Amino acid sequence: MSVSMDGSTREANFELERDEAELARMGYKQELRRDLGLLQNFGVSFSIISVITGIPSLFLYGLNTGGPAVMVWGWVVVACFTMLVGLSMAEVCSAHPTSGGPYFWAAMLSKPENAAFASWITGWFNLLGQVAVTTGISFACATFISTLCTLKTDFEPSPKTTIGIYAAVLFTQGLTNTFGVRLLHHLNNISVWWHAVGTTSLIIAILAKAPSHQSAEFVFQTFLDGTGAPGDGWGTRASHAYVVVIGILMAQYTLTGFDASAHMTEETRNAAISGSIGIVMAIGVSAVLGWFLILGLLFSIQDLDKTLASETGQPVTQIFLDTVGENGAIALMVVVIGAMYFCGTFSITSNSRMMFAFARDGGIPGHRFFNKVDQKWRSPIRTVWLACTLSFILGLPSLGSSVAFAAATSIATIGLYISYGIPIALRVINHKDFVRGPFHLGAFSFPVAITAVLWILFISIAFILPQINPVDSQTLNYAVVAVGIVITYSVGFWLLSARKWFTGPIKQIEAESKGVDVMEPASFEKL
């Protein structure tokens, strides 16, 4: 028995040494705690994709923007294309397993003279998407908490009370990421089971208890256009195809955030394989589970008009009330809110790691302050709270806009997918210089990567389009504003200043061999 234990220990130590050697090859020291396995790495992305968060939070949007037919078949189409994106990312992740993720890949896959610019642009789009996805997740959590408080009470939520709950949610998630880092992988295991068992139980409960079920024709063929007043939606003003295109946002936003597996690779054992498999597994499992969740909810709708105009403000809550009663609805809402809370917590985990890595390389304002790992807690605490603060600010427009939440989800989707697409495109353009990792697609690499890039271009245009007709200050899709600000800032600041000093990912070990500790603000100035 002791021999076996010794053998396991030696194998584990060899694995850790190999991971640290791989990280050193890319120019970085092992500073984060590397104690996550494949299940935990998969679990972070699975928890951030969180179909039980994305689908309920945009279910009303989906019903109004294409209805059941677009929700069901749009999910299938989006899942297939997202898997192609994930496979291409997994191939790159295997070659470069570091917490920098897409922005590090962009530098490594570019020609040396273009590496800094590619890294800079990718980093800023990834940062935008990370912040926006945290906003979308945690704001949805706050909204569902507000809705839960209306059951069996006289509580009436307002935008101000929801913002207050949102602040509290972010604050507690920030505390968990600050002081609970040693518990994060245990919470991660709980989150995986919560999502898997909770989603499955929810589907079974509403289908089993529903007094009646919608027909297959309703679920698979019904098209609805609620993008404006009756008879004045985008289907009438433009075409039904336009409604279909903007209607796939629910699916694409939900199947987002799987780059978390890449951002956690410096904390994952056997990272060159585990990070890649984590990405692909998270997309595949979420795609199947999410499709069944959509079908379960649609088949369980009792009265479509009542569901659309629910007094709770949430059609999913109305479905719960109509199928399992008020007590059952409270229980199912707790399941959904718990999943959303876990999802937001790990979104901040991924977000803070990306910001830390970007700050480590001098990519964000105040990088000398933010490129710190707390030695006691082994966590980038300063970027944890930066992530929380920026996400709170991005949620503030909800006070004055009726479509702010949908806009935030558009921003998250566009920002993240552009940051995914740039390194994938560079991998194709500079394929002669690409050194494969242990996970690769072989002959399928080029067609998969090209299709993935074309899909990302398509959704990046689709999700800045107006979603409600007519367009005014209340219905403006301000995703185009946020994306425009990031493009203007990143390109403008690059031309004015950053091109003179930003060199892309800094080789930490090489710098320290010259007496420069890139983790210390005073030493960093020498660089």
Side-chain angles (χ1 to χ4, degrees):
M1 182 68 178
S2 60
V3 174
S4 175
M5 289 290 288
D6 290 343
S8 299
T9 302
R10 283 197 299 271
E11 184 178 346
N13 289 336
F14 173 74
E15 193 175 77
L16 287 173
E17 290 173 3
R18 183 179 58 194
D19 286 324
E20 291 185 18
E22 177 67 13
L23 189 60
R25 178 188 66 80
M26 293 181 286
Y28 294 105
K29 292 185 351 184
Q30 183 68 50
E31 295 185 283
L32 297 170
R33 185 184 297 273
R34 194 182 286 272
D35 58 358
L36 303 181
L38 171 59
L39 177 62
Q40 287 82 25
N41 185 281
F42 152 77
V44 173
S45 283
F46 179 66
S47 295
I48 292 176
I49 291 175
S50 183
V51 295
I52 202 173
T53 295
I55 292 171
S57 60
L58 280 178
F59 200 77
L60 179 60
Y61 176 90
L63 285 176
N64 282 320
T65 317
V70 174
M71 296 168 78
V72 171
W73 299 117
W75 182 272
V76 174
V77 171
V78 167
C80 290
F81 280 107
T82 301
M83 180 58 78
L84 298 183
V85 175
L87 286 168
S88 294
M89 285 180 61
E91 186 177 53
V92 177
C93 179
S94 182
H96 303 289
T98 177
S99 62
Y103 95 88
F104 181 91
W105 304 339
M108 295 300 101
L109 298 171
S110 297
K111 296 294 183 183
E113 61 271 20
N114 300 322
F117 179 66
S119 177
W120 176 265
I121 295 297
T122 305
W124 275 101
F125 270 108
N126 193 250
L127 189 149
L128 171 69
Q130 292 272 358
V131 170
V133 82
T134 302
T135 301
I137 294 164
S138 295
F139 192 84
C141 182
T143 302
F144 270 68
I145 291 173
S146 292
T147 302
L148 176 62
C149 291
T150 64
L151 303 181
K152 290 196 169 184
T153 71
D154 296 326
F155 176 73
E156 294 184 9
S158 68
K160 290 183 179 179
T161 58
T162 302
I163 282 288
I165 296 172
Y166 175 49
V169 167
L170 283 174
F171 181 71
T172 56
Q173 290 170 336
L175 287 177
T176 302
N177 276 279
T178 298
F179 303 114
V181 173
R182 290 184 175 86
L183 298 175
L184 278 177
H185 72 282
H186 298 298
L187 291 175
N188 190 11
N189 292 335
I190 295 171
S191 177
V192 171
W193 287 105
W194 186 285
H195 277 82
V197 176
T199 305
T200 304
S201 301
L202 186 154
I203 296 169
I204 293 172
I206 59 176
L207 286 174
K209 297 294 289 183
S212 62
H213 297 99
Q214 294 288 343
S215 66
E217 181 181 0
F218 170 83
V219 172
F220 294 105
Q221 298 181 27
T222 301
F223 178 87
L224 300 175
D225 180 15
T227 57
D232 193 29
W234 284 115
T236 302
R237 181 176 175 181
S239 70
H240 289 328
Y242 181 93
V243 178
V244 171
V245 167
I246 63 174
I248 62 172
L249 173 63
M250 184 194 79
Q252 193 66 79
Y253 164 69
T254 302
L255 296 174
T256 297
F258 43 85
D259 59 318
S261 287
H263 294 303
M264 302 303 292
T265 49
E266 289 186 32
E267 298 167 69
T268 303
R269 298 184 297 273
N270 193 19
I273 285 290
S274 297
S276 301
I277 296 178
I279 291 172
V280 176
M281 278 181 59
I283 296 171
V285 174
S286 298
V288 174
L289 197 61
W291 200 60
F292 282 112
L293 177 58
I294 292 171
L295 292 177
L297 290 169
L298 290 174
F299 272 114
S300 299
I301 291 175
Q302 300 302 297
D303 184 325
L304 178 60
D305 292 334
K306 183 181 178 182
T307 302
L308 286 168
S310 174
E311 293 181 359
T312 67
Q314 297 291 342
V316 169
T317 306
Q318 191 62 51
I319 293 171
F320 294 164
L321 290 170
D322 292 342
T323 54
V324 297
E326 195 165 21
N327 290 331
I330 292 172
L332 293 183
M333 286 290 284
V334 169
V335 171
V336 173
I337 290 168
M340 289 178 169
Y341 189 84
F342 281 127
C343 180
T345 299
F346 289 108
S347 178
I348 291 173
T349 304
S350 173
N351 196 342
S352 62
R353 268 55 175 181
M354 182 273 158
M355 289 182 178
F356 158 72
F358 205 22
R360 178 173 61 185
D361 296 331
I364 64 176
H367 57 80
R368 294 182 179 89
F369 176 79
F370 290 114
N371 70 342
K372 298 283 288 184
V373 173
D374 185 272
Q375 293 304 308
K376 179 180 180 181
W377 300 104
R378 300 294 294 275
S379 171
I381 291 175
R382 295 178 182 181
T383 53
V384 166
W385 291 103
L386 176 63
C388 293
T389 301
L390 293 177
S391 296
F392 178 74
I393 292 171
L394 192 59
L396 289 177
S398 65
L399 289 169
S401 172
S402 59
V403 296
F405 179 78
T409 60
S410 293
I411 295 167
T413 308
I414 294 168
L416 286 178
Y417 273 92
I418 289 178
S419 75
Y420 300 166
I422 293 174
I424 295 173
L426 290 170
R427 183 260 179 274
V428 173
I429 295 169
N430 300 316
H431 62 277
K432 292 181 180 179
D433 301 321
F434 181 70
V435 179
R436 292 173 172 173
F439 180 97
H440 58 84
L441 303 177
F444 294 100
S445 181
F446 279 163
V448 168
I450 291 170
T451 305
V453 171
L454 292 174
W455 177 253
I456 290 169
L457 287 173
F458 168 70
I459 62 174
S460 297
I461 296 170
F463 297 152
I464 62 173
L465 298 174
Q467 298 164 340
I468 301 294
N469 183 49
V471 179
D472 55 33
S473 60
Q474 288 290 309
T475 62
L476 173 70
N477 180 0
Y478 74 93
V480 68
V481 177
V483 173
I485 289 173
V486 168
I487 293 174
T488 302
Y489 171 82
S490 58
V491 175
F493 193 53
W494 173 263
L495 294 174
L496 292 174
S497 176
R499 63 187 175 87
K500 301 173 184 177
W501 51 265
F502 183 75
T503 59
I506 293 166
K507 301 297 185 182
Q508 181 184 17
I509 293 174
E510 181 181 343
E512 294 194 357
S513 70
K514 299 175 182 178
V516 178
D517 183 357
V518 301
M519 302 307 294
E520 291 296 330
S523 300
F524 194 91
E525 294 175 4
K526 299 177 185 178
L527 214 57

